[in-house]
Amino acid sequence: MPIPFRPIARFLTRTLHPAPKVDLTAAEGLFRSMAERNSVQGALITVNHYTAPDFQAWWFVIPISAVFPVNIHWVVTAGWTNPGWLKGLTHWLFPRGARLVNFTPMPAMPPDPAEAVQRAAAVREVLKYASQTPQAVIGMAPEGGDQPGGVLGGLPPGVGRFMYLISQSCPNIIPVGVWKEQGCINLKFGNPYQLDVPPDLSAHERDVLVGDIVMHHIAMLLPQRLRGKYFNGDAIYGEPEL
């Protein structure tokens, strides 16, 4: 029997000093609808894979889970890729910890051909959860790995297509930007949206388009210094500046 993670996240978030700065304004309507069970549609949370010397990427799972009105099924790393004895330990420990709180462990990026079977099984597990769980909420960081300086990076092949498949059961996509400023964690939720993808695209074209859409929505929630290649995305999507 999995342990509910949301109460744990709420407890851990209360121990953070200073307390995280959370801006929920743009997503309040959907939050309220999901909390009151007025919406039968699921949601996909997409967040930047932010890291800093004093902030590990997986930490954002805690405050996001704490403020979200329902449980989130996170796609998390199945182990570190850096060399050393800790790599083997994390590949043993992380999947077991993920199962304990009903998360799906996914091999880290960039893709390792030796992990293809494990990756495919994780993808199937997430899609099954999305399609069979009422009002399912999936959470993931599309970049799938640390980026230099916490700046947004491009997506590995197939991630956009994966998100598109999830969106068939979880059509409401909620972008989240996370970063640290003066020692404080900042979380900014963006306007929920749904993908509008032309039906005649090839698999590769759909992969690229969905990835660009998702990452631009995340980028517009971040300070400009962290937007990377999506720096000029505001001209396309019209999101407000920070």
Side-chain angles (χ1 to χ4, degrees):
M1 183 74 175
I3 299 173
F5 183 70
R6 187 163 169 258
I8 298 173
R10 295 176 70 180
F11 169 77
L12 292 175
T13 299
R14 287 196 295 268
T15 68
L16 296 175
H17 298 286
K21 294 180 180 178
V22 182
D23 184 350
L24 300 171
T25 307
E28 280 181 343
L30 181 59
F31 272 39
R32 187 162 47 250
S33 179
M34 298 191 78
E36 297 171 355
R37 301 291 175 176
N38 292 330
S39 172
V40 297
Q41 294 183 325
L44 171 62
I45 300 173
T46 57
V47 58
N48 55 309
H49 200 282
Y50 177 76
T51 56
D54 58 347
F55 188 90
Q56 297 296 317
W58 60 270
W59 290 356
F60 59 67
V61 168
I62 296 172
I64 294 176
S65 296
V67 301
F68 209 79
V70 298
N71 288 321
I72 303 171
H73 184 92
W74 284 97
V75 182
V76 297
T77 182
W80 291 345
T81 58
N82 51 306
W85 67 271
L86 277 177
K87 177 180 179 180
L89 176 62
T90 61
H91 279 255
W92 179 87
L93 181 62
F94 286 7
R96 286 163 175 78
R99 301 295 183 198
L100 193 61
V101 290
N102 197 31
F103 294 170
T104 294
M106 176 82 72
M109 295 295 180
D112 182 344
E115 297 175 327
V117 173
Q118 183 183 356
R119 184 178 302 280
V123 167
R124 289 193 297 270
E125 178 180 327
V126 173
L127 296 179
K128 180 179 179 180
Y129 179 90
S131 64
Q132 296 185 1
T133 304
Q135 203 182 40
V137 179
I138 307 294
M140 65 180 294
E143 295 154 283
D146 296 346
Q147 308 299 324
V151 176
L152 280 184
L155 301 189
V159 176
R161 191 161 61 251
F162 180 38
M163 292 189 291
Y164 177 77
L165 292 173
I166 295 174
S167 74
Q168 304 309 292
S169 300
C170 302
N172 298 306
I173 301 180
I174 306 173
V176 183
V178 57
W179 72 98
K180 287 199 74 174
E181 195 84 53
Q182 297 180 343
C184 183
I185 300 171
N186 289 262
L187 290 178
K188 186 176 179 64
F189 287 73
N191 292 310
Y193 64 96
Q194 297 189 0
L195 293 172
D196 183 13
V197 180
D200 57 345
L201 295 181
S202 67
H204 172 71
E205 290 171 332
R206 184 179 297 112
D207 185 36
V208 173
L209 177 61
V210 171
D212 283 346
I213 291 173
V214 168
M215 296 307 290
H216 274 98
H217 276 87
I218 296 173
M220 293 307 100
L221 303 172
L222 298 172
Q224 287 191 350
R225 70 180 187 277
L226 298 177
R227 295 180 183 177
K229 61 181 285 188
Y230 306 98
F231 180 82
N232 294 317
D234 51 326
I236 299 175
Y237 290 93
E239 296 285 348
E241 295 286 343
L242 290 178

